[in-house]
């Protein structure tokens, strides 16, 4: 009888351990998926900030180095936005070609969602600077 109790107890312990590991894996996978979805929908500025934060973390910068790094990237960002703004007409042409292929295959419901996504994408694009022609 005592032997059967020990086997039952050991089997129960192993079962609880396996269920616990499985639940932990499922919950962590779900959390990772939710975080990934949140970052996929991030705007241009959020992506830039995440890149800067991750770069500084990996470089293990001192406070002074962080200041110089952020200043350099902020100055470069303005130049980058100007360059993107000058390329904006070409980028818009590419997006129009994509739209021309995608729109005909979408249902009315999908088209409404697509239009919202496109509006969000366009809102995150830098404006074309005056005199950039």
């Amino acid at each position: 009888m005592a032997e059967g109790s020990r086997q039952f107890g050991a089997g129960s312990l192993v079962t609880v351990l396996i269920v616990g590991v499985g639940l932990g894996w499922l919950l962590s996978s779900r959390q990772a998926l939710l975080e990934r979805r949140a970052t996929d929908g991030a705007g241009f500025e959020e992506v830039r900030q995440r890149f800067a934060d991750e770069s500084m973390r990996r470089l293990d910068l001192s406070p002074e180095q962080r200041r110089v790094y952020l200043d350099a990237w902020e100055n470069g960002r303005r130049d980058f936005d100007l360059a993107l703004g000058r390329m904006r007409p070409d980028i818009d042409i590419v997006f129009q070609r994509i739209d021309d292929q995608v729109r005909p295959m979408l249902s009315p419901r999908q088209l409404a969602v697509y239009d919202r996504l496109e509006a969000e994408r366009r809102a995150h694009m830098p404006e074309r600077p005056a005199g950039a022609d």
Side-chain angles (χ1 to χ4, degrees):
M1 182 80 166
E3 183 67 30
S5 260
R6 270 188 245 165
Q7 286 179 347
F8 179 75
S12 296
L13 181 61
V14 169
T15 301
V16 167
L17 180 64
I18 290 172
V19 169
V21 168
L23 282 175
W25 178 77
L26 285 173
L27 292 174
S28 65
S29 295
R30 182 179 182 278
Q31 184 64 32
L33 177 65
L34 292 175
E35 289 173 5
R36 188 77 209 142
R37 283 183 184 163
T39 59
D40 287 346
F44 204 55
E45 283 305 312
E46 293 172 52
V47 170
R48 281 187 202 186
Q49 187 60 51
R50 221 177 26 251
F51 174 77
D53 292 344
E54 179 64 13
S55 298
M56 288 186 294
R57 183 191 67 75
R58 292 176 67 186
L59 290 168
D60 192 27
L61 300 178
S62 70
E64 177 60 22
Q65 288 173 317
R66 288 176 69 88
R67 187 189 62 73
V68 172
Y69 183 89
L70 288 172
D71 286 347
W73 275 96
E74 182 59 29
N75 292 333
R77 185 186 86 133
R78 285 188 292 269
D79 294 338
F80 181 72
D81 284 347
L82 284 172
L84 271 179
R86 285 189 297 271
M87 293 185 327
R88 181 73 189 261
D90 293 334
I91 292 170
D92 287 341
I93 290 169
V94 171
F95 282 133
Q96 185 60 50
R97 282 197 319 248
I98 293 168
D99 281 355
D100 291 346
Q101 292 176 353
V102 170
R103 285 181 171 285
M105 70 167 195
L106 298 176
S107 71
R109 181 192 61 77
Q110 291 169 322
L111 193 55
V113 172
Y114 183 76
D115 287 339
R116 280 195 306 273
L117 293 172
E118 284 299 292
E120 290 172 14
R121 179 189 55 77
R122 291 177 200 275
H124 293 298
M125 288 289 294
E127 292 298 319
R128 186 175 180 191
D133 294 334

